[in-house]
């Protein structure tokens, strides 16, 4: 497996996805489909919404498959 295949960044925010944890509840795709896309590769597009909105959605992930961290100390837009 490629080590960085499930790491996404928009410069400010980095999002990681662990497929082995995902329970495929599709909460992310249903609630924020501009970012978490079902039929497009790469499936996570961090340009689809503001970082603050993406973080809010990641916090709702029931399995913990989605995680995030800020690349630098700065205000979230
Ligand atoms: S919300 Fe989390 S558990 Fe549900 S499909 Fe998305 S990544 Fe998987």
């Amino acid at each position: 497996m490629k080590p960085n295949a499930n790491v996404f960044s928009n410069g400010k925010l980095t999002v990681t996805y662990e497929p082995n944890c995902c329970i495929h509840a599709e909460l992310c795709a249903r609630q924020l489909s501009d970012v978490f896309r079902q039929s497009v590769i790469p499936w996570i597009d961090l340009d689809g919404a503001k970082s603050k909105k993406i973080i809010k959605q990641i916090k709702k992930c029931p399995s913990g498959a989605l995680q995030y961290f800020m690349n630098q100390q700065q205000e979230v837009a």
Side-chain angles (χ1 to χ4, degrees):
M1 187 173 120
K2 293 179 196 168
N4 293 324
N6 292 302
V7 178
F8 307 85
S9 179
N10 64 4
K12 182 160 53 173
L13 174 72
T14 294
V15 174
T16 61
Y17 170 67
E18 178 46 68
N20 293 328
C21 292
C22 179
I23 59 171
H24 305 290
E26 296 181 4
L27 200 64
C28 54
R30 277 191 278 117
Q31 295 184 342
L32 195 57
S33 60
D34 287 343
V35 174
F36 302 102
R37 306 174 299 176
Q38 289 183 303
S39 56
V40 184
I41 302 286
W43 80 280
I44 294 179
D45 177 12
L46 296 184
D47 292 329
K50 294 199 178 229
S51 295
K52 195 173 179 178
K53 198 169 179 184
I54 296 169
I55 289 169
K56 196 173 169 189
Q57 188 63 49
I58 288 172
K59 287 180 176 174
K60 293 183 193 173
C61 173
S63 68
L66 290 171
Q67 302 285 333
Y68 75 93
F69 61 86
M70 304 307 295
N71 295 337
Q72 298 168 356
Q73 290 283 48
Q74 55 182 277
E75 281 288 309
V76 176

